[in-house]
Amino acid sequence: MRPEETIHVVKQLTIPAGATSSSEVDLVPLYGTSSQVPSNKYARVFYGLIITNPGSTTATITINIYASDGTTKESSMDLIVGASSTLLVSKNIDSPILVVPAGRYVKAVASVPSAPSADVTITLLMNAYDV
Amino acid sequence: MSYVRDLTTPINQALLAENMNLGIVLPIESRGDIRVEVFLFRVVRAYPLVKVLSTELPTINPGGIVDFNYVGSAGLGSGDDVFEIPEEYPWRIYHFGMGIKPSWIKLYRAVPSGYVSMGWARKVPTKVGDEYDYVDGSLSPFEEPTVSSESVVFKKLSFTIGLKNDSAVATRPLIRILGKSYEVTPITSKKLIDLIISGKIPCRLITVGGLVRFPYCYPPEWTGKSVVFGVNEFQNILQNIWG
């Protein structure tokens, strides 16, 4: 896999003022149309992750993996990012942090322990490739 | 190199130099008893053939295809045909591989136009997007095209390509044409032809258009300079030369 052939997911998760979580969003690759790992592939391999939390409280970003029906949740993981912080996970292209099998959907939602007084937009950037 | 069995062999190792032999194998029959028409040539002059197709190719949506069309100077199916050899060059042959970026782009060939180059024996011809008869960027990468994409073009042979984007992201591919352009002279001596066909004299024999039968044209200057082989002719040559 060549570096220029990796795909990127760039998503913003906005927690509205007065709420404690964002809506769940599909992690659609840049220039892609769906968060579903193509069914004719083996898996989507994520090897890099950056999460920026500009808010004044710790935020939890939950990555959810759904089955090919799009609604059955198969797995879920919480990533915690401190207030006004950036979480950076930078690995080699051959050292994945998450492997999602073909057909699955990958989505994310952000949440905070207490409702902010203004919108908080958390930025999520992920590097991946399909094999 | 006469025999190249490994599909991942770089095309550079299959190209010819001056004073080497090249054979063009065309199908007369491809079902039942096989019969082929073979033109044998000596390379007299050679020069690199290099081009990158970039802006000529469109951006393809995820899972999308671009149907067969000629490679035009202004885009697929638009402008002058890049592979068309003018009338005044009957002894010019292009011999090249095609390197593809990124690896998930699938390249299909229809040579001549309207006849998909196939290796799979299917009841219906392969279409662009089928999981058959393609070369992708992992098999013939942009940086080093391989013999899996080896092609020849001569005057009156049309060359068209189709593409599929087998990924989840919209992609504008790049294709690198890497090869050589030859000026050739025909080999018509029966003795030499028999020695070439028997394998005693090295020659790079290239199948045109996959394993399908198609009506073909060649330059009128080539008329009478071919040999036709069927099962019996092959056996006779091998027996005469090798005993």
Side-chain angles (χ1 to χ4, degrees), chain A residues 2 4-5 29-32 40-41 44, chain B residues 62 101-104 143 166 168-170:
Chain A
R2 294 188 168 272
E4 66 270 21
E5 296 182 358
L30 273 181
Y31 315 113
N40 65 339
K41 300 294 181 184
R44 178 161 292 160
Chain B
K101 183 188 285 286
S103 60
W104 56 72
E143 290 74 16
D166 192 22
V169 296

mmCIF file with all atom_site columns, all heavy atoms in Angstrom, chain A residues 2 4-5 29-32 40-41 44, chain B residues 62 101-104 143 166 168-170:
data_model
loop_
_atom_site.group_PDB
_atom_site.id
_atom_site.type_symbol
_atom_site.label_atom_id
_atom_site.label_alt_id
_atom_site.label_comp_id
_atom_site.label_asym_id
_atom_site.label_entity_id
_atom_site.label_seq_id
_atom_site.pdbx_PDB_ins_code
_atom_site.Cartn_x
_atom_site.Cartn_y
_atom_site.Cartn_z
_atom_site.occupancy
_atom_site.B_iso_or_equiv
_atom_site.pdbx_formal_charge
_atom_site.auth_seq_id
_atom_site.auth_comp_id
_atom_site.auth_asym_id
_atom_site.auth_atom_id
_atom_site.pdbx_PDB_model_num
ATOM 1   N N   . ARG A 1 2   ? 0.653   2.115  -0.948  1.00 0.00 ? 2   ARG A N   1
ATOM 2   C CA  . ARG A 1 2   ? 1.453   3.339  -1.015  1.00 0.00 ? 2   ARG A CA  1
ATOM 3   C C   . ARG A 1 2   ? 0.783   4.439  -0.197  1.00 0.00 ? 2   ARG A C   1
ATOM 4   O O   . ARG A 1 2   ? -0.438  4.501  -0.108  1.00 0.00 ? 2   ARG A O   1
ATOM 5   C CB  . ARG A 1 2   ? 1.591   3.770  -2.462  1.00 0.00 ? 2   ARG A CB  1
ATOM 6   C CG  . ARG A 1 2   ? 2.392   2.772  -3.263  1.00 0.00 ? 2   ARG A CG  1
ATOM 7   C CD  . ARG A 1 2   ? 2.703   3.283  -4.639  1.00 0.00 ? 2   ARG A CD  1
ATOM 8   N NE  . ARG A 1 2   ? 3.685   2.436  -5.262  1.00 0.00 ? 2   ARG A NE  1
ATOM 9   C CZ  . ARG A 1 2   ? 4.992   2.589  -5.147  1.00 0.00 ? 2   ARG A CZ  1
ATOM 10  N NH1 . ARG A 1 2   ? 5.468   3.566  -4.412  1.00 0.00 ? 2   ARG A NH1 1
ATOM 11  N NH2 . ARG A 1 2   ? 5.826   1.762  -5.728  1.00 0.00 ? 2   ARG A NH2 1
ATOM 12  N N   . GLU A 1 4   ? 0.165   7.470  -0.821  1.00 0.00 ? 4   GLU A N   1
ATOM 13  C CA  . GLU A 1 4   ? -0.805  8.305  -1.547  1.00 0.00 ? 4   GLU A CA  1
ATOM 14  C C   . GLU A 1 4   ? -2.120  7.575  -1.802  1.00 0.00 ? 4   GLU A C   1
ATOM 15  O O   . GLU A 1 4   ? -3.071  8.157  -2.299  1.00 0.00 ? 4   GLU A O   1
ATOM 16  C CB  . GLU A 1 4   ? -0.212  8.771  -2.883  1.00 0.00 ? 4   GLU A CB  1
ATOM 17  C CG  . GLU A 1 4   ? 0.058   7.677  -3.913  1.00 0.00 ? 4   GLU A CG  1
ATOM 18  C CD  . GLU A 1 4   ? 1.448   7.084  -3.809  1.00 0.00 ? 4   GLU A CD  1
ATOM 19  O OE1 . GLU A 1 4   ? 2.076   7.202  -2.735  1.00 0.00 ? 4   GLU A OE1 1
ATOM 20  O OE2 . GLU A 1 4   ? 1.914   6.493  -4.806  1.00 0.00 ? 4   GLU A OE2 1
ATOM 21  N N   . GLU A 1 5   ? -2.153  6.286  -1.473  1.00 0.00 ? 5   GLU A N   1
ATOM 22  C CA  . GLU A 1 5   ? -3.381  5.534  -1.712  1.00 0.00 ? 5   GLU A CA  1
ATOM 23  C C   . GLU A 1 5   ? -4.215  5.380  -0.457  1.00 0.00 ? 5   GLU A C   1
ATOM 24  O O   . GLU A 1 5   ? -5.196  4.651  -0.448  1.00 0.00 ? 5   GLU A O   1
ATOM 25  C CB  . GLU A 1 5   ? -3.039  4.168  -2.300  1.00 0.00 ? 5   GLU A CB  1
ATOM 26  C CG  . GLU A 1 5   ? -2.387  4.271  -3.674  1.00 0.00 ? 5   GLU A CG  1
ATOM 27  C CD  . GLU A 1 5   ? -2.081  2.935  -4.283  1.00 0.00 ? 5   GLU A CD  1
ATOM 28  O OE1 . GLU A 1 5   ? -2.346  1.911  -3.628  1.00 0.00 ? 5   GLU A OE1 1
ATOM 29  O OE2 . GLU A 1 5   ? -1.561  2.906  -5.418  1.00 0.00 ? 5   GLU A OE2 1
ATOM 30  N N   . PRO A 1 29  ? -15.366 8.495  4.068   1.00 0.00 ? 29  PRO A N   1
ATOM 31  C CA  . PRO A 1 29  ? -14.061 8.982  3.607   1.00 0.00 ? 29  PRO A CA  1
ATOM 32  C C   . PRO A 1 29  ? -14.212 10.230 2.749   1.00 0.00 ? 29  PRO A C   1
ATOM 33  O O   . PRO A 1 29  ? -15.250 10.425 2.097   1.00 0.00 ? 29  PRO A O   1
ATOM 34  C CB  . PRO A 1 29  ? -13.511 7.825  2.776   1.00 0.00 ? 29  PRO A CB  1
ATOM 35  C CG  . PRO A 1 29  ? -14.301 6.632  3.177   1.00 0.00 ? 29  PRO A CG  1
ATOM 36  C CD  . PRO A 1 29  ? -15.635 7.128  3.608   1.00 0.00 ? 29  PRO A CD  1
ATOM 37  N N   . LEU A 1 30  ? -13.186 11.051 2.744   1.00 0.00 ? 30  LEU A N   1
ATOM 38  C CA  . LEU A 1 30  ? -13.159 12.194 1.837   1.00 0.00 ? 30  LEU A CA  1
ATOM 39  C C   . LEU A 1 30  ? -13.360 11.697 0.408   1.00 0.00 ? 30  LEU A C   1
ATOM 40  O O   . LEU A 1 30  ? -12.721 10.731 -0.007  1.00 0.00 ? 30  LEU A O   1
ATOM 41  C CB  . LEU A 1 30  ? -11.802 12.887 1.912   1.00 0.00 ? 30  LEU A CB  1
ATOM 42  C CG  . LEU A 1 30  ? -11.595 13.960 2.975   1.00 0.00 ? 30  LEU A CG  1
ATOM 43  C CD1 . LEU A 1 30  ? -10.194 14.524 2.857   1.00 0.00 ? 30  LEU A CD1 1
ATOM 44  C CD2 . LEU A 1 30  ? -12.624 15.062 2.855   1.00 0.00 ? 30  LEU A CD2 1
ATOM 45  N N   . TYR A 1 31  ? -14.250 12.346 -0.334  1.00 0.00 ? 31  TYR A N   1
ATOM 46  C CA  . TYR A 1 31  ? -14.562 12.000 -1.726  1.00 0.00 ? 31  TYR A CA  1
ATOM 47  C C   . TYR A 1 31  ? -15.269 10.652 -1.831  1.00 0.00 ? 31  TYR A C   1
ATOM 48  O O   . TYR A 1 31  ? -15.378 10.083 -2.907  1.00 0.00 ? 31  TYR A O   1
ATOM 49  C CB  . TYR A 1 31  ? -13.306 12.011 -2.618  1.00 0.00 ? 31  TYR A CB  1
ATOM 50  C CG  . TYR A 1 31  ? -12.453 13.223 -2.382  1.00 0.00 ? 31  TYR A CG  1
ATOM 51  C CD1 . TYR A 1 31  ? -11.187 13.108 -1.815  1.00 0.00 ? 31  TYR A CD1 1
ATOM 52  C CD2 . TYR A 1 31  ? -12.931 14.492 -2.674  1.00 0.00 ? 31  TYR A CD2 1
ATOM 53  C CE1 . TYR A 1 31  ? -10.419 14.224 -1.548  1.00 0.00 ? 31  TYR A CE1 1
ATOM 54  C CE2 . TYR A 1 31  ? -12.172 15.612 -2.405  1.00 0.00 ? 31  TYR A CE2 1
ATOM 55  C CZ  . TYR A 1 31  ? -10.924 15.479 -1.850  1.00 0.00 ? 31  TYR A CZ  1
ATOM 56  O OH  . TYR A 1 31  ? -10.166 16.583 -1.571  1.00 0.00 ? 31  TYR A OH  1
ATOM 57  N N   . GLY A 1 32  ? -15.731 10.151 -0.695  1.00 0.00 ? 32  GLY A N   1
ATOM 58  C CA  . GLY A 1 32  ? -16.516 8.927  -0.704  1.00 0.00 ? 32  GLY A CA  1
ATOM 59  C C   . GLY A 1 32  ? -17.983 9.246  -0.521  1.00 0.00 ? 32  GLY A C   1
ATOM 60  O O   . GLY A 1 32  ? -18.386 10.408 -0.394  1.00 0.00 ? 32  GLY A O   1
ATOM 61  N N   . ASN A 1 40  ? -16.707 -5.924 -1.410  1.00 0.00 ? 40  ASN A N   1
ATOM 62  C CA  . ASN A 1 40  ? -15.768 -6.748 -2.173  1.00 0.00 ? 40  ASN A CA  1
ATOM 63  C C   . ASN A 1 40  ? -14.336 -6.591 -1.670  1.00 0.00 ? 40  ASN A C   1
ATOM 64  O O   . ASN A 1 40  ? -13.395 -7.043 -2.327  1.00 0.00 ? 40  ASN A O   1
ATOM 65  C CB  . ASN A 1 40  ? -15.855 -6.419 -3.659  1.00 0.00 ? 40  ASN A CB  1
ATOM 66  C CG  . ASN A 1 40  ? -15.411 -5.007 -3.964  1.00 0.00 ? 40  ASN A CG  1
ATOM 67  O OD1 . ASN A 1 40  ? -15.401 -4.161 -3.084  1.00 0.00 ? 40  ASN A OD1 1
ATOM 68  N ND2 . ASN A 1 40  ? -15.047 -4.748 -5.201  1.00 0.00 ? 40  ASN A ND2 1
ATOM 69  N N   . LYS A 1 41  ? -14.178 -5.933 -0.543  1.00 0.00 ? 41  LYS A N   1
ATOM 70  C CA  . LYS A 1 41  ? -12.872 -5.844 0.088   1.00 0.00 ? 41  LYS A CA  1
ATOM 71  C C   . LYS A 1 41  ? -12.829 -6.783 1.282   1.00 0.00 ? 41  LYS A C   1
ATOM 72  O O   . LYS A 1 41  ? -13.845 -7.391 1.657   1.00 0.00 ? 41  LYS A O   1
ATOM 73  C CB  . LYS A 1 41  ? -12.594 -4.401 0.564   1.00 0.00 ? 41  LYS A CB  1
ATOM 74  C CG  . LYS A 1 41  ? -12.611 -3.381 -0.540  1.00 0.00 ? 41  LYS A CG  1
ATOM 75  C CD  . LYS A 1 41  ? -11.496 -3.588 -1.518  1.00 0.00 ? 41  LYS A CD  1
ATOM 76  C CE  . LYS A 1 41  ? -11.527 -2.526 -2.600  1.00 0.00 ? 41  LYS A CE  1
ATOM 77  N NZ  . LYS A 1 41  ? -10.505 -2.758 -3.624  1.00 0.00 ? 41  LYS A NZ  1
ATOM 78  N N   . ARG A 1 44  ? -11.309 -2.478 6.187   1.00 0.00 ? 44  ARG A N   1
ATOM 79  C CA  . ARG A 1 44  ? -10.745 -1.116 6.202   1.00 0.00 ? 44  ARG A CA  1
ATOM 80  C C   . ARG A 1 44  ? -9.808  -1.041 7.404   1.00 0.00 ? 44  ARG A C   1
ATOM 81  O O   . ARG A 1 44  ? -10.216 -1.364 8.528   1.00 0.00 ? 44  ARG A O   1
ATOM 82  C CB  . ARG A 1 44  ? -11.842 -0.066 6.300   1.00 0.00 ? 44  ARG A CB  1
ATOM 83  C CG  . ARG A 1 44  ? -11.313 1.369  6.366   1.00 0.00 ? 44  ARG A CG  1
ATOM 84  C CD  . ARG A 1 44  ? -12.399 2.383  6.008   1.00 0.00 ? 44  ARG A CD  1
ATOM 85  N NE  . ARG A 1 44  ? -12.754 2.252  4.598   1.00 0.00 ? 44  ARG A NE  1
ATOM 86  C CZ  . ARG A 1 44  ? -13.899 2.701  4.079   1.00 0.00 ? 44  ARG A CZ  1
ATOM 87  N NH1 . ARG A 1 44  ? -14.775 3.325  4.849   1.00 0.00 ? 44  ARG A NH1 1
ATOM 88  N NH2 . ARG A 1 44  ? -14.155 2.532  2.797   1.00 0.00 ? 44  ARG A NH2 1
ATOM 89  N N   . PRO B 2 62  ? -16.996 6.320  -6.733  1.00 0.00 ? 62  PRO B N   1
ATOM 90  C CA  . PRO B 2 62  ? -16.777 5.029  -6.081  1.00 0.00 ? 62  PRO B CA  1
ATOM 91  C C   . PRO B 2 62  ? -17.594 3.934  -6.754  1.00 0.00 ? 62  PRO B C   1
ATOM 92  O O   . PRO B 2 62  ? -18.805 4.077  -6.941  1.00 0.00 ? 62  PRO B O   1
ATOM 93  C CB  . PRO B 2 62  ? -17.263 5.272  -4.644  1.00 0.00 ? 62  PRO B CB  1
ATOM 94  C CG  . PRO B 2 62  ? -17.156 6.732  -4.438  1.00 0.00 ? 62  PRO B CG  1
ATOM 95  C CD  . PRO B 2 62  ? -17.372 7.372  -5.781  1.00 0.00 ? 62  PRO B CD  1
ATOM 96  N N   . LYS B 2 101 ? -2.214  3.863  -11.425 1.00 0.00 ? 101 LYS B N   1
ATOM 97  C CA  . LYS B 2 101 ? -2.279  4.406  -10.063 1.00 0.00 ? 101 LYS B CA  1
ATOM 98  C C   . LYS B 2 101 ? -3.671  4.955  -9.877  1.00 0.00 ? 101 LYS B C   1
ATOM 99  O O   . LYS B 2 101 ? -4.195  5.637  -10.761 1.00 0.00 ? 101 LYS B O   1
ATOM 100 C CB  . LYS B 2 101 ? -1.233  5.527  -9.902  1.00 0.00 ? 101 LYS B CB  1
ATOM 101 C CG  . LYS B 2 101 ? -1.163  6.104  -8.494  1.00 0.00 ? 101 LYS B CG  1
ATOM 102 C CD  . LYS B 2 101 ? -0.260  7.331  -8.452  1.00 0.00 ? 101 LYS B CD  1
ATOM 103 C CE  . LYS B 2 101 ? 1.212   7.021  -8.516  1.00 0.00 ? 101 LYS B CE  1
ATOM 104 N NZ  . LYS B 2 101 ? 1.763   6.459  -7.270  1.00 0.00 ? 101 LYS B NZ  1
ATOM 105 N N   . PRO B 2 102 ? -4.330  4.769  -8.716  1.00 0.00 ? 102 PRO B N   1
ATOM 106 C CA  . PRO B 2 102 ? -3.885  3.938  -7.613  1.00 0.00 ? 102 PRO B CA  1
ATOM 107 C C   . PRO B 2 102 ? -4.165  2.453  -7.838  1.00 0.00 ? 102 PRO B C   1
ATOM 108 O O   . PRO B 2 102 ? -4.705  2.091  -8.894  1.00 0.00 ? 102 PRO B O   1
ATOM 109 C CB  . PRO B 2 102 ? -4.722  4.475  -6.438  1.00 0.00 ? 102 PRO B CB  1
ATOM 110 C CG  . PRO B 2 102 ? -5.975  4.938  -7.099  1.00 0.00 ? 102 PRO B CG  1
ATOM 111 C CD  . PRO B 2 102 ? -5.573  5.474  -8.441  1.00 0.00 ? 102 PRO B CD  1
ATOM 112 N N   . SER B 2 103 ? -3.847  1.666  -6.860  1.00 0.00 ? 103 SER B N   1
ATOM 113 C CA  . SER B 2 103 ? -3.868  0.219  -7.059  1.00 0.00 ? 103 SER B CA  1
ATOM 114 C C   . SER B 2 103 ? -5.267  -0.330 -7.264  1.00 0.00 ? 103 SER B C   1
ATOM 115 O O   . SER B 2 103 ? -5.415  -1.425 -7.811  1.00 0.00 ? 103 SER B O   1
ATOM 116 C CB  . SER B 2 103 ? -3.210  -0.484 -5.861  1.00 0.00 ? 103 SER B CB  1
ATOM 117 O OG  . SER B 2 103 ? -3.911  -0.172 -4.670  1.00 0.00 ? 103 SER B OG  1
ATOM 118 N N   . TRP B 2 104 ? -6.302  0.441  -6.880  1.00 0.00 ? 104 TRP B N   1
ATOM 119 C CA  . TRP B 2 104 ? -7.651  -0.116 -6.962  1.00 0.00 ? 104 TRP B CA  1
ATOM 120 C C   . TRP B 2 104 ? -8.341  0.144  -8.299  1.00 0.00 ? 104 TRP B C   1
ATOM 121 O O   . TRP B 2 104 ? -9.479  -0.228 -8.500  1.00 0.00 ? 104 TRP B O   1
ATOM 122 C CB  . TRP B 2 104 ? -8.520  0.426  -5.819  1.00 0.00 ? 104 TRP B CB  1
ATOM 123 C CG  . TRP B 2 104 ? -8.602  1.912  -5.734  1.00 0.00 ? 104 TRP B CG  1
ATOM 124 C CD1 . TRP B 2 104 ? -9.270  2.749  -6.586  1.00 0.00 ? 104 TRP B CD1 1
ATOM 125 C CD2 . TRP B 2 104 ? -8.014  2.760  -4.727  1.00 0.00 ? 104 TRP B CD2 1
ATOM 126 N NE1 . TRP B 2 104 ? -9.142  4.061  -6.174  1.00 0.00 ? 104 TRP B NE1 1
ATOM 127 C CE2 . TRP B 2 104 ? -8.376  4.098  -5.039  1.00 0.00 ? 104 TRP B CE2 1
ATOM 128 C CE3 . TRP B 2 104 ? -7.241  2.525  -3.603  1.00 0.00 ? 104 TRP B CE3 1
ATOM 129 C CZ2 . TRP B 2 104 ? -7.975  5.181  -4.255  1.00 0.00 ? 104 TRP B CZ2 1
ATOM 130 C CZ3 . TRP B 2 104 ? -6.842  3.601  -2.834  1.00 0.00 ? 104 TRP B CZ3 1
ATOM 131 C CH2 . TRP B 2 104 ? -7.206  4.913  -3.158  1.00 0.00 ? 104 TRP B CH2 1
ATOM 132 N N   . GLU B 2 143 ? 4.506   2.835  -11.171 1.00 0.00 ? 143 GLU B N   1
ATOM 133 C CA  . GLU B 2 143 ? 5.947   3.040  -11.141 1.00 0.00 ? 143 GLU B CA  1
ATOM 134 C C   . GLU B 2 143 ? 6.687   2.013  -11.996 1.00 0.00 ? 143 GLU B C   1
ATOM 135 O O   . GLU B 2 143 ? 7.748   2.298  -12.536 1.00 0.00 ? 143 GLU B O   1
ATOM 136 C CB  . GLU B 2 143 ? 6.468   2.958  -9.699  1.00 0.00 ? 143 GLU B CB  1
ATOM 137 C CG  . GLU B 2 143 ? 6.059   4.129  -8.825  1.00 0.00 ? 143 GLU B CG  1
ATOM 138 C CD  . GLU B 2 143 ? 4.593   4.090  -8.422  1.00 0.00 ? 143 GLU B CD  1
ATOM 139 O OE1 . GLU B 2 143 ? 3.948   3.020  -8.547  1.00 0.00 ? 143 GLU B OE1 1
ATOM 140 O OE2 . GLU B 2 143 ? 4.080   5.126  -7.968  1.00 0.00 ? 143 GLU B OE2 1
ATOM 141 N N   . ASP B 2 166 ? -12.588 0.606  -8.233  1.00 0.00 ? 166 ASP B N   1
ATOM 142 C CA  . ASP B 2 166 ? -13.026 -0.390 -7.262  1.00 0.00 ? 166 ASP B CA  1
ATOM 143 C C   . ASP B 2 166 ? -12.657 0.069  -5.850  1.00 0.00 ? 166 ASP B C   1
ATOM 144 O O   . ASP B 2 166 ? -11.927 -0.612 -5.143  1.00 0.00 ? 166 ASP B O   1
ATOM 145 C CB  . ASP B 2 166 ? -12.360 -1.738 -7.595  1.00 0.00 ? 166 ASP B CB  1
ATOM 146 C CG  . ASP B 2 166 ? -12.988 -2.876 -6.825  1.00 0.00 ? 166 ASP B CG  1
ATOM 147 O OD1 . ASP B 2 166 ? -14.137 -2.723 -6.387  1.00 0.00 ? 166 ASP B OD1 1
ATOM 148 O OD2 . ASP B 2 166 ? -12.326 -3.911 -6.661  1.00 0.00 ? 166 ASP B OD2 1
ATOM 149 N N   . ALA B 2 168 ? -13.866 3.037  -2.382  1.00 0.00 ? 168 ALA B N   1
ATOM 150 C CA  . ALA B 2 168 ? -14.936 3.788  -1.729  1.00 0.00 ? 168 ALA B CA  1
ATOM 151 C C   . ALA B 2 168 ? -14.802 5.288  -1.916  1.00 0.00 ? 168 ALA B C   1
ATOM 152 O O   . ALA B 2 168 ? -15.595 6.049  -1.356  1.00 0.00 ? 168 ALA B O   1
ATOM 153 C CB  . ALA B 2 168 ? -14.939 3.457  -0.234  1.00 0.00 ? 168 ALA B CB  1
ATOM 154 N N   . VAL B 2 169 ? -13.801 5.701  -2.699  1.00 0.00 ? 169 VAL B N   1
ATOM 155 C CA  . VAL B 2 169 ? -13.598 7.144  -2.879  1.00 0.00 ? 169 VAL B CA  1
ATOM 156 C C   . VAL B 2 169 ? -13.516 7.478  -4.352  1.00 0.00 ? 169 VAL B C   1
ATOM 157 O O   . VAL B 2 169 ? -13.020 6.670  -5.162  1.00 0.00 ? 169 VAL B O   1
ATOM 158 C CB  . VAL B 2 169 ? -12.316 7.622  -2.146  1.00 0.00 ? 169 VAL B CB  1
ATOM 159 C CG1 . VAL B 2 169 ? -12.456 7.438  -0.647  1.00 0.00 ? 169 VAL B CG1 1
ATOM 160 C CG2 . VAL B 2 169 ? -11.087 6.913  -2.639  1.00 0.00 ? 169 VAL B CG2 1
ATOM 161 N N   . ALA B 2 170 ? -13.990 8.663  -4.696  1.00 0.00 ? 170 ALA B N   1
ATOM 162 C CA  . ALA B 2 170 ? -13.894 9.111  -6.083  1.00 0.00 ? 170 ALA B CA  1
ATOM 163 C C   . ALA B 2 170 ? -12.422 9.247  -6.453  1.00 0.00 ? 170 ALA B C   1
ATOM 164 O O   . ALA B 2 170 ? -11.623 9.759  -5.673  1.00 0.00 ? 170 ALA B O   1
ATOM 165 C CB  . ALA B 2 170 ? -14.607 10.446 -6.245  1.00 0.00 ? 170 ALA B CB  1
#
